[in-house]
Amino acid sequence: ILTGSFAQSLSNFPNPFNPDKEGCQIIYNLNTTSAVMFKIFTLTGELVNSFEIPAGQTSFTWDGKNKDGRIVQSGVYLGWLKVKNSKEEVKIKIAVMK
């Protein structure tokens, strides 16, 4: 169970992860029930994939695939979580290692 501020509630496990063997679980804790948008970017700002997570869900798994369904290359990616019904947002780093 995660407590504290929203910014501190976002975590991912395992990190780094190998998409050939496992997914990366993204876990967060909201103060209110809301849908969220999660986007994954390269370090140069290119959109890799995006997900809309329904209200009431507090975790999901990224399988390491881009929006075309291909497994991404090894490297560091930025995850951006935005709460749909507020201005809350937080960013994390996700490492992919094959």
Side-chain angles (χ1 to χ4, degrees):
I1 296 176
L2 301 169
T3 59
S5 74
F6 170 67
Q8 295 172 330
S9 79
L10 181 62
S11 65
N12 52 317
F13 180 82
N15 192 23
F17 81 105
N18 181 343
D20 292 328
K21 297 181 180 181
E22 62 199 343
C24 180
Q25 185 157 5
I26 313 296
I27 304 164
Y28 54 92
N29 185 31
L30 304 178
N31 294 327
T32 61
T33 302
S34 174
V36 300
M37 171 67 73
F38 189 79
K39 294 183 178 185
I40 300 168
F41 296 92
T42 65
L43 292 179
T44 59
E46 228 180 306
L47 180 64
V48 174
N49 211 334
S50 62
F51 306 90
E52 288 203 34
I53 296 95
Q57 191 171 325
T58 58
S59 69
F60 70 98
T61 301
W62 178 41
D63 59 6
K65 293 181 181 175
N66 65 18
K67 59 188 173 202
D68 297 325
R70 294 189 201 111
I71 292 179
V72 299
Q73 296 180 9
S74 294
V76 177
Y77 295 84
L78 298 177
W80 176 72
L81 183 79
K82 167 86 171 78
V83 180
K84 290 270 205 158
N85 67 0
S86 79
K87 293 182 180 184
E88 291 181 297
E89 60 182 60
V90 65
K91 296 174 184 153
I92 59 169
K93 292 180 183 174
I94 304 171
V96 174
M97 187 181 304
K98 298 191 237 180

